[in-house]
């Protein structure tokens, strides 16, 4: 890993130097001697002729090569290298290398064995024939390399090179790293450095020493040193003219503005050279060979400053800006004082205007107060009349409120009783399915318990039969032994009777009795063999029956276990059903709340509908009374007034009042049939006045007629008689006729809506 990092660091250093070189060549600046830190010595120590790779490969070839001899050879062959560190405290298998990032101590234990861990040739050939593209492409180059090395001819009389034919692990890594660096060299490389600000992993916290060490190890400090080795500071031409034109003549800035608009780069460069030649004349140095060395160099697009030149220009710029700031402050302060003076002047003028306005306003308020007092006396008269009318309205409203309250309470009581009955019916309908389900589950559980008991009883009966069969088998064996003993006892009883008269046989000759005993013993043995065969067959039959009983027992046990599992599943199903029932109960409670809310909304809507219906009917009656009264007034005036112009004016005013009244917010077009002229009986007692008096008081008469019309509307709304003197029967007949002539469009629609609402 450190070897690869050293190669990448070398590539990074060369890229930085090359970028600086390309920048200077593009700007047309001669690049002098540039010194920078390089890690070529470390790379020579690792991959040189006598480097670590060569020594380790040689140690792998030796028969008795080990890690300690590898470290010893490295120290001996590279004793002149400054990158190799040899410390007296190091052990035989330890050595150190001064890398670019710092000193690293290596433990060489296992280096030789790990370096020989190569892939066998037959395995690589097998992987090369794989159909997977990834494996094939990975092992193709490896197989070609091994084949090329193994195809070299061997000299006769010498052994094969053995492990030299196969590349070691480090050699393959160096070849792969070389291929990688070649591929990187063909691309446009960009470097990203990740810096860890602190070891505590906290935000907005930076450890300066740790950060600087990371920048140094990453090569960023070295890259900055290379890029700033000759000219630490650089600025573009436009920025240079913009920042330092204040130090030269005023002609530069104006000329530069014109040239920026024309985008004349060469002219801008010439102006920069003139300006900097004048400003940095004092910082020129003379070399040993007599050449003058300026403090800056002008390129095609940028100006490169030597050490201290840009700081000198910035200091001079600060001084010039300070002088300009003093001049600017003087002008700003004068402007502010003039502005303050004008502000005071405007304030004085505004104060005078406000004072004069206040005096005029006092006079205006005195006149307005007198007018308001006069108006208050006039309005007081009208307010008294309005107060009396409102008191009558309040009393009537109180009576209506109590009546409607009583009707609503009766309706509420009826609704509560109906709701209680509906709830009782709903609860019964809801509980019946639950009861049926629980009864069904109880029956199923009882059936399962009966089946389990039946299976247990069968198991016990089978066990009893097995025990009886075993006892029966033992009894059969006992009977066989008894039969054998009886057969043995019968020949023994006959033997003494026959043995008495027989003479003693000679020695070596079998007697008849002995022959008989031999025959009987042979028969007995044959009988015993048959019985043993029978017992064996019975024993095998009993064993077969026993196996069948065991199998039946196992089946019964399995059936019992499955029944238990089924019972557990049914119990789980019952629990799930209970949870579902609980959810349904919660939903039913929620629906109950919604039903109660809807019932309350229904009651409110019914009350509102009744109020609107009553208001509508009262309005219809009021308007009918208003039209009737107005017709009576007009008929009376036509009958008793002699001035035709006055009669025409009154008829016109009546039509206008009627049209205005009908076009109100709740106006209803109620057409009344034409009636014959009223009787000669007077409808309203009013003194007759001459025409001149009527013309003189026309405005007051109009106001009086309007107020009289309003009073008649209020009285008709509460069932008052207005100004008519007809009987109640005549009023009811007229109202019925008017309602019939209207065809009752509003009332019929209102009644239809009320019917639909009652059905809902």
């Amino acid at each position: 890993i450190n070897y690869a990092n050293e190669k990448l660091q070398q590539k990074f250093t060369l890229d930085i130097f090359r970028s600086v070189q390309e920048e200077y060549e593009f700007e047309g600046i001669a690049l002098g001697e540039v010194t920078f830190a390089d890690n070529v010595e470390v790379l020579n120590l690792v991959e040189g002729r006598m480097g670590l790779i060569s020594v380790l490969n040689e140690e792998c070839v030796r028969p008795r090569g080990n890690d300690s001899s590898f470290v010893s050879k490295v120290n001996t062959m590279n004793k002149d290298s400054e990158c190799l560190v040899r410390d007296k405290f190091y052990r035989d298998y330890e050595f150190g290398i001064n890398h670019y990032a710092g000193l690293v101590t290596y433990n060489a234990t296992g280096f030789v064995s790990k370096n020989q861990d190569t892939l066998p040739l037959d395995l690589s050939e097998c992987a090369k024939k794989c159909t997977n593209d990834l494996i094939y492409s990975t092992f193709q180059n490896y197989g070609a390399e091994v084949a090329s090395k193994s195809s070299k001819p061997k000299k006769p009389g010498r052994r094969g090179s053995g492990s030299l034919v196969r590349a070691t692990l480090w050699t393959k890594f160096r070849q792969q790293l070389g291929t990688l660096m070649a591929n990187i060299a063909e691309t446009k490389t960009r470097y990203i450095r990740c810096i860890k600000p602190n070891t505590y992993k906290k935000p907005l916290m930076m450890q300066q020493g740790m950060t600087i060490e990371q920048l140094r190890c990453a090569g960023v400090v070295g890259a900055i040193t290379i890029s700033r080795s000759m000219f630490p500071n650089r600025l573009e031409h436009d920025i240079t003219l913009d920042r330092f034109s204040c130090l030269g003549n005023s002609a530069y800035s104006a000329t530069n503005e014109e040239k920026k608009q024309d985008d004349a780069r060469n002219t801008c460069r010439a102006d920069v050279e003139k300006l900097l030649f004048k400003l940095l004349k004092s910082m020129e140095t003379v070399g040993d060979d007599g050449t003058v060395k300026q403090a800056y160099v002008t390129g095609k697009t940028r100006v490169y400053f030597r050490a201290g030149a840009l700081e000198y220009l910035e200091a001079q710029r600060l001084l010039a800006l300070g002088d300009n700031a003093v001049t600017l402050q003087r002008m700003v302060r004068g402007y502010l004082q003039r502005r303050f003076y004008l502000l005071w002047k405007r304030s004085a003028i505004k104060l005078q205007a406000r004072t004069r306005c206040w005096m005029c306003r006092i006079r205006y308020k005195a006149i307005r107060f007198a007018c308001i007092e006069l108006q208050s006396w006039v309005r007081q008269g009208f307010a008294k009349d309005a107060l009396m009318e409102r008191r009558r309205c309040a009393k009537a409203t109180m009576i209506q409120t109590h009546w409607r309250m009583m009707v609503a309470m009766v309706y509420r009581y009826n609704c509560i009783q109906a709701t209680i009955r509906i709830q009782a019916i709903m609860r019964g309908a809801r509980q019946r399915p639950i009861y049926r389900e629980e009864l069904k589950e109880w029956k199923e559980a009882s059936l399962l318990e009966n089946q389990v008991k039946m299976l247990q009883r069968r198991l016990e009966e089978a066990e009893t039969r097995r025990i009886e069969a075993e006892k029966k088998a033992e009894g059969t064996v006992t009977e066989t032994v008894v039969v054998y003993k009886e057969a043995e006892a019968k020949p023994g009883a006959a033997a003494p009777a026959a043995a008495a008269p027989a003479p003693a046989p000679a020695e070596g000759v079998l007697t008849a009795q002995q022959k008989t005993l031999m025959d009987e013993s042979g028969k007995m043995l044959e009988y015993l063999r048959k019985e043993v065969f029978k017992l064996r067959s019975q024993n095998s039959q009993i064993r077969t029956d026993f196996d069948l009983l065991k199998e039946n027992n196992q089946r019964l046990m399995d059936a019992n276990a499955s029944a238990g599992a089924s019972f557990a599943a049914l119990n789980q199903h019952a629990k799930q059903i209970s949870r579902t029932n609980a959810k349904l109960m919660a939903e039913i409670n929620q629906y109950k709340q919604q039903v109660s809310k809807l019932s309350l909304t229904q009651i409110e809507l019914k009350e509102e509908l009744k109020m609107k219906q009553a208001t509508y009917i009262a309005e219809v009656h009021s308007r009918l009374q208003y039209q009737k009264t107005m017709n009576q007034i007009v008929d009376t005036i036509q009958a008793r007034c002699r001035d035709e112009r006055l009669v025409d004016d009154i008829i016109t005013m009546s039509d206008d009042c009627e049209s205005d009244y009908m076009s109100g917010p709740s106006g209803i077009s109620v057409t009344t049939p034409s009636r014959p002229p009223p009787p000669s009986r007077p409808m309203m007692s009013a003194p007759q006045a001459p025409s001149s008096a009527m013309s003189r008081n026309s405005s007051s008469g109009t106001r009086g007629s309007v107020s009289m019309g309003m009073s008649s509307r209020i009285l008709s709304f509460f069932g008052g008689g207005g100004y008519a003197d007809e009987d109640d029967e005549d009023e009811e007949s007229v109202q019925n006729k008017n309602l019939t002539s209207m065809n009752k469009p509003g009332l019929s629609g209102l009644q239809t809506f009320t019917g639909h609402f009652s059905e809902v």
Side-chain angles (χ1 to χ4, degrees), residues 351-364:
L351 181 61
Q352 291 176 0
R354 294 278 180 98
T355 304
R356 292 167 185 168
C357 177
W358 177 71
M359 294 174 66
C360 294
R361 188 172 181 82
I362 288 175
R363 290 195 296 268
Y364 166 73

Side-chain angles (χ1 to χ4, degrees), residues 50-91:
M50 306 300 293
L52 299 178
I53 299 177
S54 301
V55 175
L56 185 59
N57 291 336
E58 182 182 355
E59 199 65 24
C60 292
V61 174
R62 291 180 62 240
R64 295 183 181 179
N66 54 21
D67 302 326
S68 300
S69 61
F70 161 68
V71 176
S72 177
K73 286 183 180 181
V74 168
N75 291 330
T76 303
M77 294 179 180
N78 298 279
K79 60 183 178 180
D80 297 333
S81 177
E82 297 179 358
C83 298
L84 184 64
V85 179
R86 293 170 296 277
D87 196 346
K88 61 182 180 180
F89 296 104
Y90 285 170
R91 298 181 182 179

Side-chain angles (χ1 to χ4, degrees), residues 612-623 747 750-751:
K612 289 184 177 180
Q613 182 178 1
T615 305
Y616 187 81
I617 294 171
E619 186 72 19
V620 170
H621 286 290
S622 173
R623 301 222 171 160
L747 288 176
L750 192 61
Q751 291 172 358

Side-chain angles (χ1 to χ4, degrees), residues 624-639 654 675-679 681-684 721-727 730-731 734:
L624 291 174
Q625 186 68 25
Y626 171 77
Q627 288 184 355
K628 182 178 71 174
T629 306
M630 185 61 70
N631 290 330
Q632 290 176 359
I633 292 170
V634 173
D635 293 340
T636 303
I637 291 173
Q638 287 179 354
S654 174
R675 296 188 293 108
R681 188 163 55 89
M683 298 299 292
M684 183 192 305
Y723 295 95
D725 294 334
E726 293 184 358
D727 298 334
D730 296 334
E731 291 178 359
V734 171

Side-chain angles (χ1 to χ4, degrees), residues 222-238:
I224 295 173
T225 304
I226 293 173
S227 61
R228 303 298 184 188
S229 58
M230 293 183 63
F231 301 100
N233 307 107
R234 63 199 69 186
L235 290 175
E236 295 183 358
H237 292 163
D238 298 339

Side-chain angles (χ1 to χ4, degrees), residues 695-751:
S695 62
R696 189 168 54 249
N697 298 326
S698 60
S699 60
S700 61
T702 305
R703 183 180 299 174
S705 63
V706 173
S707 62
M708 186 179 297
M710 293 175 63
S711 300
S712 63
R713 286 178 62 191
I714 295 170
L715 291 174
S716 63
F717 180 77
F718 294 106
Y723 295 95
D725 294 334
E726 293 184 358
D727 298 334
D728 295 337
E729 296 178 357
D730 296 334
E731 291 178 359
E732 291 178 358
S733 62
V734 171
Q735 290 176 2
N736 293 331
K737 289 179 181 179
N738 290 332
L739 288 173
T740 305
S741 63
M742 286 170 57
N743 241 345
K744 297 192 290 183
L747 288 176
S748 62
L750 192 61
Q751 291 172 358

Side-chain angles (χ1 to χ4, degrees), residues 240-365:
T240 305
L241 288 175
D242 185 51
R243 289 184 65 83
F244 304 116
S245 60
C246 60
L247 301 178
N249 296 329
S250 59
Y252 282 113
S253 60
T255 308
N256 289 334
E257 290 294 331
E258 294 175 0
K259 284 156 189 178
K260 285 180 184 178
Q261 295 176 1
D262 296 339
D263 196 11
R265 185 173 298 176
N266 295 328
T267 308
C268 185
R269 179 180 179 182
D271 292 342
V272 170
E273 289 181 353
K274 291 178 183 178
L275 178 63
L276 295 180
F277 179 78
K278 179 180 178 182
L279 297 177
L280 299 177
K281 181 71 175 177
S282 59
M283 297 188 68
E284 293 180 353
T285 58
V286 180
D288 297 336
D289 54 353
T291 57
V292 178
K293 187 176 181 181
Q294 295 181 351
Y296 69 94
V297 175
T298 305
K300 294 181 181 179
T301 60
R302 297 179 182 177
V303 180
Y304 295 83
F305 298 93
R306 299 188 188 276
L310 186 61
E311 289 79 0
Y312 172 75
L313 291 176
E314 290 291 342
Q316 295 296 325
R317 179 174 176 271
L318 289 176
L319 294 176
L321 291 177
D323 296 338
N324 295 335
V326 170
T327 304
L328 184 62
Q329 288 176 359
R330 175 176 56 79
M331 297 177 68
V332 170
R333 287 171 183 170
Y335 168 74
L336 292 176
Q337 291 298 326
R338 284 191 295 273
R339 184 179 178 184
F340 186 69
Y341 166 73
L342 294 174
L343 181 62
W344 273 97
K345 184 177 179 181
R346 286 195 296 270
S347 300
I349 294 171
K350 188 179 292 185
L351 181 61
Q352 291 176 0
R354 294 278 180 98
T355 304
R356 292 167 185 168
C357 177
W358 177 71
M359 294 174 66
C360 294
R361 188 172 181 82
I362 288 175
R363 290 195 296 268
Y364 166 73
K365 284 183 177 180

